[in-house]
Amino acid sequence: MPFLNDYFPFWMAALIGKLTILLIPIAGVLYPMTRLLPRVYDWAMRSKILRMYGELRLLEDEMTTARANGRDTREMTARLDSLEEQANHLKVPVAYASMLYMLRNHIDLVREGLRKARREGGGMRRCAA
């Protein structure tokens, strides 16, 4: 870059010219990454919580099937406790805390539904016996 020779010593002008040639491809790579990395981070944080929602949904379906067939749900209750323990120890940034609190609330809703079904089912079994 000859115009740099007018303002800087030769060695500095040569260094600036080489750095400019080096920085152009680096900027070409970094710019798309600055737009991609926040999306990847958001996906990673959401997937932590949504994976647990998938487990909760599967567990809820198994509990419904078990109650319909009259099977014991103690093992599923233990799995629900384990899922709640995982949710309580999950580390997420403050921006994703609301999703985590909703997950904990939904775990409690499933647990309450299980308790209600046990009370209704237990009372029905005693009457039939």
Side-chain angles (χ1 to χ4, degrees):
M1 295 186 188
F3 68 91
L4 292 175
N5 290 331
D6 295 337
Y7 301 103
F8 298 106
F10 176 75
W11 66 271
M12 193 179 287
L15 183 62
I16 292 173
K18 289 178 183 179
L19 285 176
T20 304
I21 291 172
L22 182 66
L23 289 178
I24 290 172
I26 290 173
V29 171
L30 287 181
Y31 178 72
M33 287 182 68
T34 60
R35 299 183 57 77
L36 179 68
L37 288 179
R39 291 180 185 166
V40 170
Y41 182 76
D42 182 59
W43 174 81
M45 291 299 113
R46 287 177 177 275
S47 70
K48 280 183 179 181
I49 297 169
L50 294 178
R51 191 176 317 123
M52 296 181 86
Y53 265 112
E55 291 178 33
L56 181 63
R57 177 61 189 247
L58 179 66
L59 190 57
E60 186 178 21
D61 290 344
E62 287 179 19
M63 286 179 177
T64 303
T65 304
R67 285 191 309 240
N69 295 338
R71 292 189 346 230
D72 189 22
T73 57
R74 278 181 249 167
E75 182 264 333
M76 293 174 200
T77 304
R79 285 176 45 201
L80 187 61
D81 292 339
S82 173
L83 186 63
E84 184 176 32
E85 188 69 23
Q86 286 177 2
N88 288 336
H89 288 85
L90 190 63
K91 302 288 186 209
V92 294
V94 176
Y96 300 95
S98 62
M99 288 180 66
L100 186 59
Y101 289 129
M102 285 193 316
L103 173 65
R104 289 177 183 161
N105 190 19
H106 291 150
I107 290 172
D108 287 340
L109 286 172
V110 171
R111 185 184 312 281
E112 189 57 38
L114 182 62
R115 286 182 189 143
K116 183 179 176 185
R118 277 188 181 164
R119 282 191 301 253
E120 292 172 359
M124 291 170 53
R125 286 187 192 129
R126 277 183 254 154
C127 291

